[in-house]
Amino acid sequence: MPELSRFNGISIMMYYEDGGQHHKPHVHVNYAEHRASVSLNGDLLEGSLPLKQLHMVEAWAALREDELHKAWVRAVRNENPGKIEPLR
């Protein structure tokens, strides 16, 4: 699964080439021992993240909304979604 972005110990990834199993647009987030799926608008869909890190992911998603949607379109076409600038 390609890593879209990494910042403050948070790794954000997006699957592609998964046989068309994409559902609601989302990313996968890893932070320490925490794993979560987060929608492109920042809603926690599954798993858990500490509140501070969830807020960072929400802020990042809000700033990178257009890039995230373009990455999602590439992913559902079974293309590498590419990289997205981290939260600074």
Side-chain angles (χ1 to χ4, degrees):
M1 172 172 26
E3 186 175 79
L4 293 177
S5 196
R6 179 182 290 266
F7 53 89
N8 296 37
I10 301 167
S11 177
I12 302 176
M13 297 157 292
M14 188 178 286
Y15 284 113
Y16 75 108
E17 295 183 345
D18 71 349
Q21 297 302 310
H22 291 283
H23 302 288
K24 182 175 184 170
H26 65 280
V27 293
H28 298 268
V29 181
N30 294 339
Y31 174 75
E33 70 276 4
H34 302 278
R35 306 288 176 264
S37 294
V38 178
S39 72
L40 298 191
N41 65 2
D43 294 334
L44 183 65
L45 300 174
E46 186 176 304
S48 67
L49 288 173
L51 193 55
K52 179 180 177 181
Q53 282 70 27
L54 179 58
H55 288 315
M56 285 184 197
V57 172
E58 291 169 343
W60 174 81
L63 290 169
R64 309 288 185 240
E65 183 178 2
D66 289 341
E67 295 167 272
L68 275 169
H69 285 284
K70 288 176 185 173
W72 183 260
V73 168
R74 287 190 297 271
V76 297
R77 291 180 181 160
N78 290 324
E79 299 171 4
N80 188 317
K83 296 283 187 184
I84 298 176
E85 192 74 24
L87 187 66
R88 299 213 186 265

